[in-house]
Amino acid sequence: MIITIDGPTASGKSSVAKALAEQLGWYYLNTGMLYRAVTYLLLNNYKYTLENLTNVAPEDLAACTDHSRFTYHYDPVDGVEIVYDDVTITQYLKDASIDQAVCLISPQPHLREAMCEFQRQLAQQYDVVTDGRDTGSVVFPHAQYKFFLTASLDVRAQRWQKDQKKRGHDYTLQECKERIAYRDAKDQERGHSPLVIPQGGIVIDNSTLDFAQTIEVFLKYIQE
Ligand code: C5P
């Protein structure tokens, strides 16, 4: 069984997906963390910079996504953990520098194909709730439930601002809006697996809903 939740930046899809996985006792697959991890590895282990990140050598990409070196773990107590060459890198992946860099690398077809394969292999082992940009449209088009979670730019910018504050970064609301709009545009405009509402997807706008109300709406569809 698979439930997919796609949507733009800061729509709350990761928190919702994690909460649903916990309630259902399923595995949680956060696909944004996979793309963040590869971005981190290219910048840190393979010494790429923002200038040449759009032009990654295929062998470096293959090394970053090599299943024997790159692993994803989830358990309800410790959450998501990504390990590369036996080193946990999860704690670096939500950094604002990765936020801005990831959409430079995420359009690359070789990376997307490798990540797609990675996600499908995980889903063979577990019942999965997954979130991302293309999980319902490309990776799991036959999922039992395909959701698209969104909210207004203002609301998403406020959420992102709050989240960044907790991480020690102070951005004005205008800066938050610009950063989010930049990432959304990059994700929507790319040629390979752009952010779209998946065919048959259930659209939920949570601009005026709090977290508990959002979960309630999802469960209503799932229990039906
Ligand atoms: O979901 P999150 O904000 O962590 O995703 C970070 C970035 O990773 C997105 O902006 C997008 O460029 C990329 N991504 C993707 N496809 C996915 C998940 C994330 O391209 N399924």
Side-chain angles (χ1 to χ4, degrees):
M1 294 276 283
I2 298 172
I3 294 175
T4 64
I5 308 177
D6 292 305
T9 298
S11 56
K13 54 194 186 309
S14 306
S15 311
V16 170
K18 189 162 177 282
L20 287 180
E22 270 168 31
Q23 290 215 15
L24 298 166
W26 291 12
Y27 195 82
Y28 170 46
L29 172 56
N30 179 328
T31 66
M33 289 295 266
L34 301 177
Y35 288 92
R36 285 172 182 272
V38 173
T39 307
Y40 171 85
L41 292 172
L42 290 169
L43 290 173
N44 289 277
N45 298 35
Y46 291 87
K47 304 299 171 207
Y48 280 85
T49 63
L50 289 182
E51 281 65 47
N52 60 9
L53 202 55
T54 50
N55 195 17
V56 175
E59 59 272 23
D60 290 338
L61 214 45
C64 288
T65 56
D66 181 341
H67 290 209
S68 64
R69 303 176 69 182
F70 181 101
T71 54
Y72 177 100
H73 309 272
Y74 167 74
D75 83 64
V77 178
D78 298 324
V80 171
E81 185 188 23
I82 296 187
V83 176
Y84 188 75
D85 282 347
D86 299 322
V87 177
T88 297
I89 58 171
T90 329
Q91 65 273 30
Y92 309 116
L93 306 182
K94 291 295 245 175
D95 205 90
S97 63
I98 302 292
D99 270 17
Q100 292 314 105
V102 64
C103 57
L104 298 175
I105 176 83
S106 61
Q108 300 198 17
H110 281 115
L111 171 62
R112 299 211 72 84
E113 277 144 29
M115 288 292 108
C116 186
E117 161 88 17
F118 190 91
Q119 293 164 59
R120 287 178 180 159
Q121 278 194 11
L122 267 178
Q124 279 175 4
Q125 304 165 49
Y126 307 99
D127 288 325
V128 165
V129 183
T130 184
D131 75 287
R133 302 295 186 290
D134 62 343
T135 61
S137 55
V138 174
V139 185
F140 302 114
H142 304 300
Q144 277 72 21
Y145 293 97
K146 296 189 282 183
F147 292 99
F148 188 88
L149 181 62
T150 189
S152 70
L153 180 61
D154 273 353
V155 168
R156 293 188 290 117
Q158 281 164 22
R159 289 178 188 157
W160 195 77
Q161 186 183 38
K162 214 165 144 191
D163 195 48
Q164 288 301 315
K165 205 162 193 155
K166 279 190 214 148
R167 295 172 197 280
H169 304 297
D170 264 318
Y171 294 107
T172 66
L173 195 58
Q174 187 54 32
E175 282 169 337
C176 295
K177 277 194 205 172
E178 282 165 14
R179 280 176 172 251
I180 286 179
Y182 168 82
R183 282 172 62 193
D184 286 348
K186 286 256 178 222
D187 289 339
Q188 281 160 352
E189 288 162 10
R190 67 177 174 230
H192 197 301
S193 325
L195 169 66
V196 290
I197 298 173
Q199 214 178 10
I202 301 163
V203 180
I204 297 175
D205 185 322
N206 69 354
S207 303
T208 59
L209 304 179
D210 66 19
F211 186 66
Q213 290 168 328
T214 306
I215 295 288
E216 219 174 282
V217 175
F218 273 79
L219 285 175
K220 224 171 183 178
Y221 281 106
I222 293 166
Q223 280 155 4
E224 262 172 21

